[in-house]
Amino acid sequence: MSITGAIKRRGRPATGRGESINVRLQPDQLAALDEWVARQASAPSRPEAIRHALAAFLAKEAKA
């Protein structure tokens, strides 16, 4: 007798939004990013920190 039900998938569940990109950072850039993350109370992940930096940059550019 087989087991019926939902198939479990490995990994993070799909959000249906966004697109993955790969970015290579130089050691000094990565160190600066990690230092910024360490100073944050929420301790964001590296991807979240990059999204935050991008949003701040784009907001600043929109005002210019």
Side-chain angles (χ1 to χ4, degrees):
M1 184 180 224
S2 64
I3 299 174
T4 59
I7 297 173
K8 291 186 179 181
R9 297 177 188 242
R10 293 179 60 110
R12 188 173 182 196
T15 61
R17 308 181 305 225
E19 186 171 329
S20 177
I21 62 168
N22 294 314
V23 178
R24 185 177 300 270
L25 299 177
Q26 296 299 317
D28 59 329
Q29 296 169 321
L30 191 55
L33 180 67
D34 288 341
E35 288 173 16
W36 183 86
V37 166
R39 291 192 307 268
Q40 305 308 303
S42 61
S45 64
R46 284 177 174 168
E48 185 61 31
I50 292 169
R51 285 190 290 269
H52 176 81
L54 178 61
F57 170 79
L58 294 174
K60 182 178 177 183
E61 287 293 308
K63 293 179 184 178

